[in-house]
Amino acid sequence: MAELTPSFAMSAHPDRARRLAEVATLLAHDENLPFDPVVPPIYQTSLFTFRSYRDMEETFSGRARRPVYSRGDNPTVMEFEKRIAQLEGAEASRAFSSGMGAISATVLALLRAGDRVLAVRHVYSDTFRLFQRLLPKFGIAVDYVDGTDAEAVIRGLSTARMLFLESPTSMVFDLQDLPKLAAAARAHGVVTVLDNSWATPVFQQPLLHGVDLVLHSASKYIGGHSDTVAGVVSGSAALIQQINQTTYSMFGAKLSPFEAWLLLRGLRTLTLRLPRHEASALVIADRLRQHPMVSRIHHPAFSNHPGRETLLGSTGLFSFEVDERVDVPRFIDALQLFRIGVSWGGHESLVVPAMASLHQTPDYNALARFSVSPRLIRLHVGLEDVESLWSDLERALTQETL
Ligand SMILES: *Cc1c(COP(=O)(O)O)cnc(C)c1O
């Protein structure tokens, strides 16, 4: 596969400038709030009372929608949900106390015993654990497929109830052809769910390409400051209603008003942060690609896969593989600006060696034939000065070779 240069990367997408402009303006304003504050208030209350018997009855009968109790609706959380629905082009969104809260609630609301999920290999590690450890207890089975191979995915649809995508995937950043897979799934009556945490709704709007439900770990770029754990799911009013009436209200993984407020605050700068993460990550990925000790780069901008076409940009998270001359543990310890830690999407640069993180999921490689190289290293490129980050990496690579 021919490699593309970063100057040929997603920044050349014809829809990109319009999208960044439209989102920047949308995120600067909140409208129709009582007293017209520029920032929505934090409704730190568990309970909303009724003025009369009739008021209560109208709400409970479904004739009026208003907050009743914060395990259901809370106005600050609703502001966040409204914002995400606008960004995704969705009829409705539902926020959760974590990305996994959103993923587990979505999967369990839509599936029943006897169903099969067709999931792409390299789904996020806890999504994989949910699929391996919890779904079998409900009589739901999961099959894994190489999502880059559209024909293989389509072949797997005949036995599936749900197609679970993540484009790009975790750790190795494999892409999927969303319009093609979503259309095939629809033809088979299979509901398509996609984890869009990497691209954010700024750089990829899966619902516009036929996906039914789009999920985010809002803990990543949406929050953007490594101070909040949250999740959100968006789609048609009917599907969100199905989640609302089952797993959302009964599992109780609701988002807190303060965290919704932090997420609304994080969103304000999303269109400023993303291009900076993107540009710095492209500089570093391109230099690593040319480094003699680096054998492989996993970054969507360096891929020719048709899954690129729905991405209007790339972000700060990618991985690379070092050759056997590099002592991985010593390389990791020699880094000073990249802190060793999971998660990503905040202001800070982070590094995760696959060699250590795969201990978390010992069944990952064997069971799902995921084949993540132990020489793979994932970077999150933060908002620091890119030349300082590069010096740190280059020094550690040169110093810690065998
Ligand atoms: C972090 C992450 C999640 C889980 O989100 P939490 O907010 O940590 O529960 C899901 N999917 C992807 C791709 C992630 O990176």
Side-chain angles (χ1 to χ4, degrees), residues 27 225 264-274:
L27 292 179
H225 296 75
L264 286 163
R265 178 182 165 121
L267 279 174
R268 305 259 192 229
T269 55
L270 188 57
T271 57
L272 298 177
R273 289 184 282 113
L274 286 182

Side-chain angles (χ1 to χ4, degrees), residues 98-101 103 124 127 166 170 195 197 217-220 229-230 344:
S98 67
M100 285 313 300
I103 292 170
Y124 174 66
T127 305
E166 193 183 301
S170 293
D195 183 332
S197 304
S217 168
S219 324
K220 313 294 167 49
V229 173
W344 45 274

Side-chain angles (χ1 to χ4, degrees), residues 111-156:
L111 297 174
R112 66 181 64 176
D115 285 346
R116 300 189 80 84
V117 179
L118 183 63
V120 292
R121 300 190 305 168
H122 305 294
V123 285
Y124 174 66
S125 54
D126 271 335
T127 305
F128 175 72
R129 275 175 278 211
L130 166 75
F131 289 169
Q132 294 307 120
R133 297 181 192 173
L134 201 64
L135 293 194
K137 294 190 187 187
F138 294 91
I140 300 162
V142 182
D143 303 303
Y144 298 94
V145 64
D146 176 357
T148 63
D149 182 348
E151 297 313 317
V153 178
I154 292 166
R155 276 196 301 279

Side-chain angles (χ1 to χ4, degrees), residues 63-276:
R63 274 175 279 143
R65 183 177 171 186
R66 48 155 285 173
V68 173
Y69 183 57
S70 286
R71 175 157 51 75
D73 287 334
N74 173 282
T76 316
V77 176
M78 288 162 78
E79 283 299 314
F80 172 66
E81 292 169 339
K82 190 175 85 189
R83 217 358 74 89
I84 294 295
Q86 285 171 333
L87 288 174
E88 288 290 5
E91 284 175 4
S93 297
R94 188 42 106 175
F96 289 84
S97 56
S98 67
M100 285 313 300
I103 292 170
S104 57
T106 298
V107 166
L108 288 167
L110 269 47
L111 297 174
R112 66 181 64 176
D115 285 346
R116 300 189 80 84
V117 179
L118 183 63
V120 292
R121 300 190 305 168
H122 305 294
V123 285
Y124 174 66
S125 54
D126 271 335
T127 305
F128 175 72
R129 275 175 278 211
L130 166 75
F131 289 169
Q132 294 307 120
R133 297 181 192 173
L134 201 64
L135 293 194
K137 294 190 187 187
F138 294 91
I140 300 162
V142 182
D143 303 303
Y144 298 94
V145 64
D146 176 357
T148 63
D149 182 348
E151 297 313 317
V153 178
I154 292 166
R155 276 196 301 279
L157 288 172
S158 57
T159 52
R161 169 84 60 195
M162 173 182 286
L163 175 62
F164 195 98
L165 306 174
E166 193 183 301
S167 189
T169 57
S170 293
M171 296 309 266
V172 297
F173 306 95
D174 282 346
L175 296 172
Q176 294 119 58
D177 185 339
L178 306 190
K180 187 171 188 172
L181 300 187
R186 188 149 295 182
H188 281 83
V190 173
V191 62
T192 308
V193 177
L194 183 134
D195 183 332
N196 198 29
S197 304
W198 185 89
T200 84
V202 177
F203 283 157
Q204 183 164 256
Q205 290 180 282
L207 300 179
L208 304 191
H209 304 293
V211 167
D212 294 305
L213 285 168
V214 57
L215 291 156
H216 287 279
S217 168
S219 324
K220 313 294 167 49
Y221 286 121
I222 289 175
H225 296 75
S226 301
D227 53 12
T228 314
V229 173
V232 62
V233 58
S234 309
S236 69
L239 285 174
I240 298 298
Q241 179 77 336
Q242 207 173 325
I243 296 167
N244 277 341
Q245 289 177 343
T246 56
T247 47
Y248 173 75
S249 47
M250 288 164 229
F251 289 173
K254 60 91 182 162
L255 182 62
S256 76
F258 178 59
E259 289 182 304
W261 185 88
L262 284 173
L263 295 171
L264 286 163
R265 178 182 165 121
L267 279 174
R268 305 259 192 229
T269 55
L270 188 57
T271 57
L272 298 177
R273 289 184 282 113
L274 286 182
R276 170 69 178 248

Side-chain angles (χ1 to χ4, degrees), residues 35-55:
F35 309 112
D36 299 314
V38 291
V39 174
I42 302 171
Y43 281 89
Q44 193 64 44
T45 177
S46 62
L47 186 61
F48 302 84
T49 55
F50 299 96
R51 293 252 164 111
S52 64
Y53 172 92
R54 188 192 192 80
D55 200 8

